[in-house]
Amino acid sequence: MKLIIAIVQNKDAGKLRTKFVENNIMATKLASSGSFLKTGNVTYLLAVQETEVEKVLEIIKENCSTRKQYVSPTSVLGIDTNDHSAPYEVQVGGATVMILPIEAFHQF
Ligand code: 2BA
């Protein structure tokens, strides 16, 4: 079995959840936030058979969009400065995905 950790944007999380349910894929949703933008995102944990990994990746790819966001240097640094540099653009997403081996899986 594999553990898929998928960090997705809040805007994609609901649609993705619906697709997981439609495809009979079990997932746990955690509220999370990125260290850079400090805004909320969603982390899904999915324990799946190896044969299901590609299918899950396809569903994530199809339902998570790339978006542009503007950030001010002050908010990223988290300090109040007199530096009023112009906001700049960062591209976020579609999804950040990690796949790990599962040594054991129990449900008691
Ligand atoms: P954040 O840390 O809030 O990052 C949001 C977006 O800001 C990133 O999008 C990236 O485009 C940009 N970014 C991050 N760090 C940067 C930096 N030092 N300089 C310039 N731009 C930077 P994504 O790469 O799509 O990441 C979306 C979210 O996925 C991240 O939110 C974070 O929560 C998670 N993530 C990304 N890479 C990760 C990693 N290697 N380990 C753990 N979580 C990760």
Side-chain angles (χ1 to χ4, degrees):
M1 284 186 100
K2 298 282 186 190
L3 175 65
I4 301 177
I5 301 173
I7 303 161
V8 308
Q9 295 169 69
N10 282 341
K11 284 178 182 164
D12 295 322
K15 190 172 50 163
L16 193 54
R17 180 195 152 277
T18 304
K19 292 289 171 189
F20 289 151
V21 173
E22 279 174 10
N23 286 276
N24 212 18
I25 295 163
M26 293 277 268
T28 292
K29 180 183 165 190
L30 306 175
S32 48
S33 59
S35 61
F36 188 68
L37 295 179
K38 301 185 196 80
T39 53
N41 51 30
V42 167
T43 299
Y44 280 110
L45 302 181
L46 307 102
V48 299
Q49 297 297 338
E50 291 196 25
T51 51
E52 295 280 283
V53 169
E54 277 310 312
K55 180 176 158 188
V56 172
L57 291 179
E58 275 309 309
I59 291 171
I60 294 171
K61 261 190 248 172
E62 279 168 17
N63 291 283
C64 294
S65 310
T66 300
R67 295 187 181 84
K68 287 180 178 150
Q69 253 175 267
Y70 286 90
V71 289
S72 78
T74 328
S75 76
V76 166
L77 293 171
I79 48 172
D80 194 13
T81 71
N82 288 326
D83 176 8
H84 297 296
S85 310
Y88 62 97
E89 194 179 86
V90 289
Q91 182 173 297
V92 190
T96 299
V97 180
M98 298 156 223
I99 303 175
L100 294 80
I102 293 180
E103 197 175 300
F105 180 86
H106 300 291
Q107 286 182 302
F108 297 111

